[in-house]
Amino acid sequence: MSVLIVTGGSRGIGAAICELAASRGYDVVVNFSGAAAPAEEVAERVRAFGQRALAVRADVSAEDDVRALFDAAASLGPVDALVNNAATTGNTPGRLDGYEVDVVRRTLDVNVTGVFLCCREAVRRMSTRHGGAGGAIVNISSTAARTGSAGEWVHYAASKAAVDTLTFGLAQEVAGEDVRVNAVAPGMIHTGLHAAAGLPDRMAKYAPLIPMGRAGQPVEIAEAVLWLLSPAASFTTGAVLAVGGGR
């Protein structure tokens, strides 16, 4: 029985990953940092598939919280899958020269330090070097790492570029220890992030720039993640898979 931790699993892409994973036999730990109710709802949907689920509050940028998250997950069994989905843009979009440093620091704390801390705890449990039985990690990056997100979230784009580099470097470190590390880089996806940032029409604005002519759905990202977690991707590590409709 596989045990999967999904950070930021209470909504959007994270929730879609939790539900699809449950449909494919994973027990799921739904991590959240805000309101508990949405995470509990996702956990209930996981249980509806006949799988076990926990909703665990943890700030991924806080070392003690991350340790507690993995300890809680261990109650379901050895953790052999991790999806680092939790992230923030700092919400208010704008040019780099208009950003407050606290927003940038918080974005880097969650998007980069959070991924580092969760990867570290996962490797300490999964790696055969540490007595584990192996596993798979998928980090959620963004095509913004390549496009730069100018005029909106350059700091966010930079944080996702760091995730790409972390993915490739860690994959090489643990390739011989039965741990695979990959990333999925979503493009424009229909989630609540855009409206929360005050940009409810963002998808309509960018859709004409996407070769496929539309924004993606969270489940389309979830499908890519579940492939990378699965044995079907057994010879894939250090990859960043772009899922952005060609943009």
mmCIF file of all heavy atoms in Angstrom, residues 26 31 42 47 49 58-59 67 80 95 114-115 125 129 137-139 143 145-146 152 177 190 192 202 211 216 223 229:
data_model
loop_
_atom_site.group_PDB
_atom_site.id
_atom_site.type_symbol
_atom_site.label_atom_id
_atom_site.label_comp_id
_atom_site.label_asym_id
_atom_site.label_seq_id
_atom_site.Cartn_x
_atom_site.Cartn_y
_atom_site.Cartn_z
ATOM 1 N N TYR A 26 -3.711 4.888 -3.748
ATOM 2 C CA TYR A 26 -2.852 5.505 -2.746
ATOM 3 C C TYR A 26 -3.659 5.891 -1.504
ATOM 4 O O TYR A 26 -4.786 6.380 -1.611
ATOM 5 C CB TYR A 26 -2.221 6.789 -3.291
ATOM 6 C CG TYR A 26 -1.128 6.600 -4.313
ATOM 7 C CD1 TYR A 26 -1.438 6.418 -5.654
ATOM 8 C CD2 TYR A 26 0.212 6.624 -3.940
ATOM 9 C CE1 TYR A 26 -0.442 6.265 -6.608
ATOM 10 C CE2 TYR A 26 1.218 6.474 -4.888
ATOM 11 C CZ TYR A 26 0.886 6.289 -6.220
ATOM 12 O OH TYR A 26 1.872 6.146 -7.163
ATOM 13 N N ASN A 31 -2.044 17.764 3.067
ATOM 14 C CA ASN A 31 -1.453 18.853 3.842
ATOM 15 C C ASN A 31 -2.153 20.167 3.521
ATOM 16 O O ASN A 31 -2.544 20.415 2.383
ATOM 17 C CB ASN A 31 0.031 18.969 3.546
ATOM 18 C CG ASN A 31 0.605 20.320 3.949
ATOM 19 O OD1 ASN A 31 0.956 21.124 3.091
ATOM 20 N ND2 ASN A 31 0.671 20.594 5.237
ATOM 21 N N VAL A 42 -11.480 17.177 1.091
ATOM 22 C CA VAL A 42 -10.660 16.385 0.163
ATOM 23 C C VAL A 42 -10.376 15.015 0.768
ATOM 24 O O VAL A 42 -10.448 13.989 0.076
ATOM 25 C CB VAL A 42 -9.349 17.114 -0.180
ATOM 26 C CG1 VAL A 42 -8.431 16.228 -1.017
ATOM 27 C CG2 VAL A 42 -9.640 18.408 -0.934
ATOM 28 N N ARG A 47 -11.402 9.039 0.971
ATOM 29 C CA ARG A 47 -11.976 7.870 1.656
ATOM 30 C C ARG A 47 -13.101 7.256 0.839
ATOM 31 O O ARG A 47 -13.347 6.042 0.932
ATOM 32 C CB ARG A 47 -12.467 8.282 3.045
ATOM 33 C CG ARG A 47 -11.340 8.714 3.975
ATOM 34 C CD ARG A 47 -11.835 9.104 5.356
ATOM 35 N NE ARG A 47 -10.758 9.725 6.122
ATOM 36 C CZ ARG A 47 -10.752 10.983 6.535
ATOM 37 N NH1 ARG A 47 -11.792 11.776 6.283
ATOM 38 N NH2 ARG A 47 -9.719 11.469 7.194
ATOM 39 N N PHE A 49 -13.070 6.599 -2.113
ATOM 40 C CA PHE A 49 -12.458 5.626 -3.013
ATOM 41 C C PHE A 49 -12.002 4.374 -2.266
ATOM 42 O O PHE A 49 -11.391 3.481 -2.856
ATOM 43 C CB PHE A 49 -11.259 6.247 -3.731
ATOM 44 C CG PHE A 49 -11.622 7.206 -4.835
ATOM 45 C CD1 PHE A 49 -11.554 8.571 -4.621
ATOM 46 C CD2 PHE A 49 -12.034 6.732 -6.070
ATOM 47 C CE1 PHE A 49 -11.884 9.464 -5.637
ATOM 48 C CE2 PHE A 49 -12.364 7.619 -7.090
ATOM 49 C CZ PHE A 49 -12.297 8.993 -6.872
ATOM 50 N N ALA A 58 0.248 22.016 8.342
ATOM 51 C CA ALA A 58 1.687 22.252 8.477
ATOM 52 C C ALA A 58 2.104 23.358 7.522
ATOM 53 O O ALA A 58 1.663 23.395 6.372
ATOM 54 C CB ALA A 58 2.485 20.986 8.164
ATOM 55 N N ASP A 59 2.932 24.254 8.004
ATOM 56 C CA ASP A 59 3.558 25.275 7.170
ATOM 57 C C ASP A 59 4.843 24.660 6.627
ATOM 58 O O ASP A 59 5.774 24.383 7.388
ATOM 59 C CB ASP A 59 3.862 26.513 8.011
ATOM 60 C CG ASP A 59 4.572 27.617 7.240
ATOM 61 O OD1 ASP A 59 5.057 27.377 6.105
ATOM 62 O OD2 ASP A 59 4.686 28.741 7.780
ATOM 63 N N ARG A 67 8.605 18.141 9.850
ATOM 64 C CA ARG A 67 8.884 16.887 10.569
ATOM 65 C C ARG A 67 7.591 16.295 11.119
ATOM 66 O O ARG A 67 7.356 15.079 11.031
ATOM 67 C CB ARG A 67 9.869 17.148 11.706
ATOM 68 C CG ARG A 67 11.301 17.417 11.253
ATOM 69 C CD ARG A 67 12.251 17.295 12.439
ATOM 70 N NE ARG A 67 13.612 17.604 12.082
ATOM 71 C CZ ARG A 67 14.278 18.675 12.507
ATOM 72 N NH1 ARG A 67 13.701 19.546 13.313
ATOM 73 N NH2 ARG A 67 15.534 18.882 12.140
ATOM 74 N N ASP A 80 6.116 6.566 0.722
ATOM 75 C CA ASP A 80 6.924 6.256 -0.455
ATOM 76 C C ASP A 80 6.605 7.165 -1.639
ATOM 77 O O ASP A 80 7.096 6.937 -2.749
ATOM 78 C CB ASP A 80 6.789 4.794 -0.853
ATOM 79 C CG ASP A 80 5.356 4.379 -1.138
ATOM 80 O OD1 ASP A 80 4.452 5.226 -1.062
ATOM 81 O OD2 ASP A 80 5.133 3.194 -1.447
ATOM 82 N N ARG A 95 5.115 44.676 -11.028
ATOM 83 C CA ARG A 95 6.521 44.659 -11.428
ATOM 84 C C ARG A 95 7.423 44.409 -10.226
ATOM 85 O O ARG A 95 7.070 44.715 -9.087
ATOM 86 C CB ARG A 95 6.889 46.001 -12.066
ATOM 87 C CG ARG A 95 6.384 46.199 -13.478
ATOM 88 C CD ARG A 95 6.535 47.664 -13.892
ATOM 89 N NE ARG A 95 7.855 48.201 -13.574
ATOM 90 C CZ ARG A 95 8.812 48.421 -14.482
ATOM 91 N NH1 ARG A 95 8.593 48.155 -15.761
ATOM 92 N NH2 ARG A 95 9.974 48.940 -14.130
ATOM 93 N N GLY A 114 10.450 25.406 1.421
ATOM 94 C CA GLY A 114 9.451 24.374 1.695
ATOM 95 C C GLY A 114 9.699 23.109 0.901
ATOM 96 O O GLY A 114 9.585 21.991 1.422
ATOM 97 N N VAL A 115 10.044 23.249 -0.366
ATOM 98 C CA VAL A 115 10.347 22.079 -1.199
ATOM 99 C C VAL A 115 11.611 21.399 -0.681
ATOM 100 O O VAL A 115 11.675 20.160 -0.593
ATOM 101 C CB VAL A 115 10.498 22.485 -2.677
ATOM 102 C CG1 VAL A 115 10.997 21.312 -3.517
ATOM 103 C CG2 VAL A 115 9.165 22.992 -3.219
ATOM 104 N N ARG A 125 13.584 9.189 4.704
ATOM 105 C CA ARG A 125 12.699 8.050 4.951
ATOM 106 C C ARG A 125 12.666 7.051 3.795
ATOM 107 O O ARG A 125 12.492 5.871 4.008
ATOM 108 C CB ARG A 125 11.286 8.565 5.251
ATOM 109 C CG ARG A 125 11.187 9.263 6.599
ATOM 110 C CD ARG A 125 9.962 10.157 6.675
ATOM 111 N NE ARG A 125 9.782 10.686 8.028
ATOM 112 C CZ ARG A 125 10.453 11.708 8.532
ATOM 113 N NH1 ARG A 125 11.385 12.313 7.795
ATOM 114 N NH2 ARG A 125 10.235 12.145 9.757
ATOM 115 N N ARG A 129 19.825 4.338 1.347
ATOM 116 C CA ARG A 129 20.990 4.749 2.138
ATOM 117 C C ARG A 129 20.606 4.948 3.598
ATOM 118 O O ARG A 129 21.432 4.760 4.502
ATOM 119 C CB ARG A 129 21.570 6.041 1.567
ATOM 120 C CG ARG A 129 22.781 6.574 2.315
ATOM 121 C CD ARG A 129 23.320 7.820 1.658
ATOM 122 N NE ARG A 129 24.516 8.322 2.322
ATOM 123 C CZ ARG A 129 25.224 9.366 1.911
ATOM 124 N NH1 ARG A 129 24.867 10.015 0.804
ATOM 125 N NH2 ARG A 129 26.295 9.752 2.566
ATOM 126 N N ILE A 137 9.378 11.266 -5.764
ATOM 127 C CA ILE A 137 9.044 12.643 -5.412
ATOM 128 C C ILE A 137 8.714 13.386 -6.698
ATOM 129 O O ILE A 137 9.438 13.264 -7.694
ATOM 130 C CB ILE A 137 10.232 13.334 -4.717
ATOM 131 C CG1 ILE A 137 10.581 12.634 -3.404
ATOM 132 C CG2 ILE A 137 9.941 14.828 -4.479
ATOM 133 C CD1 ILE A 137 11.903 13.098 -2.785
ATOM 134 N N VAL A 138 7.624 14.139 -6.675
ATOM 135 C CA VAL A 138 7.292 15.022 -7.791
ATOM 136 C C VAL A 138 7.106 16.429 -7.246
ATOM 137 O O VAL A 138 6.285 16.660 -6.354
ATOM 138 C CB VAL A 138 6.018 14.574 -8.531
ATOM 139 C CG1 VAL A 138 5.678 15.578 -9.643
ATOM 140 C CG2 VAL A 138 6.196 13.185 -9.116
ATOM 141 N N ASN A 139 7.901 17.350 -7.761
ATOM 142 C CA ASN A 139 7.793 18.757 -7.387
ATOM 143 C C ASN A 139 6.949 19.500 -8.424
ATOM 144 O O ASN A 139 7.119 19.284 -9.621
ATOM 145 C CB ASN A 139 9.184 19.394 -7.309
ATOM 146 C CG ASN A 139 10.064 18.723 -6.280
ATOM 147 O OD1 ASN A 139 9.594 18.343 -5.203
ATOM 148 N ND2 ASN A 139 11.339 18.545 -6.595
ATOM 149 N N THR A 143 5.647 26.662 -15.804
ATOM 150 C CA THR A 143 6.261 27.158 -17.030
ATOM 151 C C THR A 143 6.731 28.596 -16.860
ATOM 152 O O THR A 143 7.509 29.098 -17.669
ATOM 153 C CB THR A 143 5.287 27.068 -18.219
ATOM 154 O OG1 THR A 143 4.094 27.795 -17.906
ATOM 155 C CG2 THR A 143 4.939 25.614 -18.535
ATOM 156 N N ALA A 145 8.861 29.487 -14.864
ATOM 157 C CA ALA A 145 10.312 29.411 -14.688
ATOM 158 C C ALA A 145 11.034 29.701 -15.991
ATOM 159 O O ALA A 145 12.180 30.163 -15.994
ATOM 160 C CB ALA A 145 10.707 28.028 -14.174
ATOM 161 N N ARG A 146 10.359 29.428 -17.108
ATOM 162 C CA ARG A 146 10.940 29.669 -18.426
ATOM 163 C C ARG A 146 10.470 30.986 -19.031
ATOM 164 O O ARG A 146 11.233 31.684 -19.671
ATOM 165 C CB ARG A 146 10.564 28.495 -19.344
ATOM 166 C CG ARG A 146 10.979 28.635 -20.779
ATOM 167 C CD ARG A 146 10.805 27.312 -21.528
ATOM 168 N NE ARG A 146 9.565 26.624 -21.208
ATOM 169 C CZ ARG A 146 8.369 26.921 -21.748
ATOM 170 N NH1 ARG A 146 8.266 27.908 -22.616
ATOM 171 N NH2 ARG A 146 7.288 26.223 -21.423
ATOM 172 N N GLU A 152 4.033 40.531 -13.645
ATOM 173 C CA GLU A 152 3.113 39.886 -12.707
ATOM 174 C C GLU A 152 3.843 39.331 -11.487
ATOM 175 O O GLU A 152 3.733 39.864 -10.398
ATOM 176 C CB GLU A 152 2.335 38.765 -13.417
ATOM 177 C CG GLU A 152 1.358 39.280 -14.457
ATOM 178 C CD GLU A 152 0.565 38.163 -15.097
ATOM 179 O OE1 GLU A 152 1.044 37.004 -15.119
ATOM 180 O OE2 GLU A 152 -0.540 38.443 -15.587
ATOM 181 N N GLU A 177 19.744 5.231 -5.075
ATOM 182 C CA GLU A 177 19.174 4.872 -3.775
ATOM 183 C C GLU A 177 17.674 4.572 -3.868
ATOM 184 O O GLU A 177 16.938 4.661 -2.885
ATOM 185 C CB GLU A 177 19.432 6.003 -2.772
ATOM 186 C CG GLU A 177 20.918 6.289 -2.584
ATOM 187 C CD GLU A 177 21.201 7.590 -1.843
ATOM 188 O OE1 GLU A 177 20.290 8.114 -1.162
ATOM 189 O OE2 GLU A 177 22.345 8.086 -1.941
ATOM 190 N N HIS A 190 -6.840 26.417 -14.778
ATOM 191 C CA HIS A 190 -8.029 26.967 -14.113
ATOM 192 C C HIS A 190 -8.020 26.578 -12.632
ATOM 193 O O HIS A 190 -8.377 25.455 -12.268
ATOM 194 C CB HIS A 190 -9.301 26.432 -14.772
ATOM 195 C CG HIS A 190 -9.589 27.039 -16.105
ATOM 196 N ND1 HIS A 190 -10.003 28.343 -16.259
ATOM 197 C CD2 HIS A 190 -9.514 26.516 -17.354
ATOM 198 C CE1 HIS A 190 -10.195 28.602 -17.544
ATOM 199 N NE2 HIS A 190 -9.892 27.526 -18.234
ATOM 200 N N GLY A 192 -8.279 28.606 -8.385
ATOM 201 C CA GLY A 192 -8.706 29.813 -7.692
ATOM 202 C C GLY A 192 -7.595 30.818 -7.480
ATOM 203 O O GLY A 192 -7.839 31.927 -6.987
ATOM 204 N N ARG A 202 -7.712 36.451 -15.988
ATOM 205 C CA ARG A 202 -6.367 36.137 -16.453
ATOM 206 C C ARG A 202 -6.370 35.001 -17.474
ATOM 207 O O ARG A 202 -5.640 35.043 -18.467
ATOM 208 C CB ARG A 202 -5.483 35.775 -15.255
ATOM 209 C CG ARG A 202 -3.998 35.639 -15.597
ATOM 210 C CD ARG A 202 -3.164 35.619 -14.324
ATOM 211 N NE ARG A 202 -1.747 35.578 -14.636
ATOM 212 C CZ ARG A 202 -0.972 34.490 -14.512
ATOM 213 N NH1 ARG A 202 -1.506 33.350 -14.077
ATOM 214 N NH2 ARG A 202 0.311 34.529 -14.806
ATOM 215 N N PRO A 211 -0.917 27.668 -27.664
ATOM 216 C CA PRO A 211 -1.142 26.995 -28.947
ATOM 217 C C PRO A 211 -2.384 26.114 -28.992
ATOM 218 O O PRO A 211 -3.052 26.027 -30.026
ATOM 219 C CB PRO A 211 0.140 26.180 -29.134
ATOM 220 C CG PRO A 211 1.184 27.009 -28.466
ATOM 221 C CD PRO A 211 0.499 27.569 -27.238
ATOM 222 N N GLY A 216 -5.530 24.908 -19.043
ATOM 223 C CA GLY A 216 -5.686 23.526 -18.622
ATOM 224 C C GLY A 216 -6.561 23.373 -17.398
ATOM 225 O O GLY A 216 -6.960 24.347 -16.765
ATOM 226 N N GLU A 223 -2.812 14.021 -13.783
ATOM 227 C CA GLU A 223 -2.476 12.851 -14.595
ATOM 228 C C GLU A 223 -0.968 12.755 -14.828
ATOM 229 O O GLU A 223 -0.376 11.671 -14.773
ATOM 230 C CB GLU A 223 -3.210 12.908 -15.940
ATOM 231 C CG GLU A 223 -4.696 12.623 -15.855
ATOM 232 C CD GLU A 223 -5.016 11.142 -15.738
ATOM 233 O OE1 GLU A 223 -4.094 10.315 -15.638
ATOM 234 O OE2 GLU A 223 -6.227 10.815 -15.741
ATOM 235 N N LEU A 229 4.826 9.365 -10.637
ATOM 236 C CA LEU A 229 4.893 8.596 -9.394
ATOM 237 C C LEU A 229 4.856 7.094 -9.656
ATOM 238 O O LEU A 229 5.341 6.308 -8.840
ATOM 239 C CB LEU A 229 3.721 8.951 -8.477
ATOM 240 C CG LEU A 229 3.715 10.328 -7.822
ATOM 241 C CD1 LEU A 229 2.426 10.514 -7.017
ATOM 242 C CD2 LEU A 229 4.935 10.535 -6.917
#
